Amino acid sequence: MRMKKLITILLFIVFISMFGFAQQEVRIRIREGMPMIPVAVPVFQISSGTADGNQVADQVYEALWNDLEYSRVFKLVPKEHYNYIQKFNPDNIRFKDWASIQANVLISGRLEISAEDRLIFAFKVYDIKSEKFIFGRNFGGKKEFARLIAHRAADEMMKYFGEKPIFTTKIVFVSNRDGNEEIYFMDYDGNRQKRITFNDYIDLMPSWSYDNEKVMYTSYRRGTPDLFLFNLYSGKTDLISTGGVNYRSDWSSENDRVVYTSSKNNGNAELYLRYMKTGKEKRLTFNRVIDTSPCWSPNGQEIAFTSDRSGSPQIYIMDSEGTNVRRITYEGSYHDNPAWSPDGTRIAYVSRIEGRFDIYIFNLKSNAITKITENAGRNENPAWSPDGRHLIFSSNRAGSYQIYSVDYDGTNLKKLTRKGENKMPKWQKK
């Protein structure tokens, strides 16, 4: 499949003047190692003691279908093909019928909804070729969590087939929908959007802790851009860094080390390493130029970042202690906001070419560059899904800034937000 190239930026309040030299694009084809698994999902059986039972069942079915379709692991057999075979009976499965419409895996679902609004979803998976039961799970909860129950079932499918689950993960982002820029989070598919900061000041640039229990972000609540840490479970907020401008944090895989940008010592944007357990800090860069947008490698041994030390913003990599600095982008005059893929082989970033901000991916093994967005507004703030098959980013392609997801090859674009302006998304890392 023909693809495109990398990613776009958004430093913070101040940044370098921009230049517009042309960058040569390399068009490449990316193929995943294994073909997608054909899956059939006949309509679920329903036993309901409430009037809206069918509606709840439809929510579970739709969410599960959409999850598997989004996965790039499973390929859904089209529903119209089910008309060619006998109606599904979970007590007498005609495996040869399902094989005839090219399904390899069959999912059977049964929903029970009590008068007390409790939902039980019995989920069974069969291998069609061997005509055997593979595995099954029962999921329960209040019916208002119907979509979440479906996401949990889809995650079980991913785990059983050796893939990283992503459907119960969340995305944190910034929105002004309530009149002020605050921090929100939502499900991976854009549902259940919820505000988590409440103040009269600007909150920006959130990032997840590696255990997904905390969010670090920049806030002007004290009058200056300081770095704060919010605990999602206790509701406690702690001040992490103040003085100058503090922003763009990222957590290492050990969950103890945080790297962030600050101008607190000399008025210039530099990178700092903080040990969260002890509070000790180490300055990593020493320049009269701007160093910003740090991002940890998945193994916690390296940090990608943006620097204009060459005269224009480019992407660099250094060891976690600030040594062994090397540049990875050369063409073009503006690259920023690197995001390291979960497998450590690629870095997504933003590049400005001929006045346009687009998202690109740099392959660290082959040095090939792939363009992901093109000819559609200003595209910024890329972040990877935990399985490395998808990216989220902010774009004003439809007029206002909204958050979108896209597959790593530039296909399957989906709009996740619609209310207000929304930007700076970060996907949970695991």
Side-chain angles (χ1 to χ4, degrees), residues 228-276:
F228 288 86
L229 180 66
F230 176 73
N231 190 304
L232 294 170
Y233 293 95
S234 69
K236 183 181 178 182
T237 300
D238 294 315
L239 176 65
I240 300 300
S241 181
T242 188
V245 176
N246 302 272
Y247 61 103
R248 288 267 187 243
S249 62
D250 192 44
W251 296 72
S252 73
S253 54
E254 295 90 349
N255 207 48
D256 174 45
R257 295 180 298 166
V258 170
V259 63
Y260 68 97
T261 306
S262 180
S263 64
K264 57 187 172 184
N265 282 332
N266 61 356
N268 188 60
E270 303 284 1
L271 300 184
Y272 291 79
L273 175 65
R274 181 182 178 90
Y275 295 89
M276 296 302 293

Side-chain angles (χ1 to χ4, degrees), residues 64-79:
L64 178 62
W65 180 282
N66 290 341
D67 289 350
L68 299 180
E69 188 173 51
Y70 184 79
S71 69
R72 292 188 70 115
V73 174
F74 305 104
K75 179 181 179 181
L76 278 299
V77 175
K79 294 175 186 177

Side-chain angles (χ1 to χ4, degrees), residues 29-98:
R29 295 177 181 271
I30 297 178
R31 289 187 174 90
E32 297 180 67
M34 298 292 292
M36 290 187 286
I37 302 167
V39 177
V41 190
V43 174
F44 302 148
Q45 289 188 310
I46 308 169
S47 174
S48 176
T50 63
D52 62 350
N54 287 335
Q55 181 181 353
V56 174
D58 288 345
Q59 289 180 18
V60 175
Y61 185 88
E62 178 187 34
L64 178 62
W65 180 282
N66 290 341
D67 289 350
L68 299 180
E69 188 173 51
Y70 184 79
S71 69
R72 292 188 70 115
V73 174
F74 305 104
K75 179 181 179 181
L76 278 299
V77 175
K79 294 175 186 177
E80 55 267 27
H81 291 187
Y82 302 176
N83 297 328
Y84 302 141
I85 61 176
Q86 288 191 19
K87 186 176 180 180
F88 177 65
N89 179 356
D91 299 319
N92 182 26
I93 301 175
R94 299 169 59 93
F95 289 101
K96 288 183 172 55
D97 282 358
W98 294 99

Side-chain angles (χ1 to χ4, degrees), residues 11-12 20 23 51 54 141 153 163 169 186 225 261 291 325 335 342 371 388 397:
L11 259 193
F12 189 52
Q23 172 175 330
N54 287 335
E163 301 294 335
T169 58
M186 61 184 170
T261 306
D291 297 313
V325 178
H335 309 293
K371 191 174 184 181
R397 61 184 57 210

Side-chain angles (χ1 to χ4, degrees), residues 295-299 339-348 361-362 364 384-388 391:
C295 174
W296 286 99
S297 64
N299 62 13
W340 218 307
S341 67
D343 65 0
T345 64
R346 296 161 291 170
I347 292 179
I361 295 174
F362 180 86
L364 293 165
W384 291 91
S385 63
D387 65 353
L391 289 159

Side-chain angles (χ1 to χ4, degrees), residues 99-136:
S100 72
I101 60 172
Q102 309 303 311
N104 289 2
V105 172
L106 176 70
I107 294 177
S108 171
R110 184 189 301 269
L111 285 139
E112 295 183 11
I113 307 171
S114 70
E116 294 77 30
D117 289 339
R118 299 288 300 179
L119 168 65
I120 297 176
F121 177 42
F123 173 81
K124 296 181 179 180
V125 183
Y126 298 88
D127 177 71
I128 291 175
K129 185 176 181 180
S130 66
E131 300 187 0
K132 291 183 178 179
F133 171 78
I134 302 177
F135 77 98

Side-chain angles (χ1 to χ4, degrees), residues 288-342:
R288 293 183 178 180
V289 299
I290 291 176
D291 297 313
T292 187
S293 301
C295 174
W296 286 99
S297 64
N299 62 13
Q301 296 179 8
E302 297 176 304
I303 298 169
F305 65 102
T306 301
S307 178
D308 67 344
R309 62 186 64 192
S310 65
S312 64
Q314 301 289 341
I315 307 299
Y316 292 78
I317 295 175
M318 64 181 173
D319 294 346
S320 61
E321 295 299 311
T323 58
N324 191 24
V325 178
R326 59 270 192 204
R327 178 176 169 181
I328 66 170
T329 58
Y330 288 90
E331 297 83 7
S333 62
Y334 194 93
H335 309 293
D336 188 32
N337 209 184
W340 218 307
S341 67

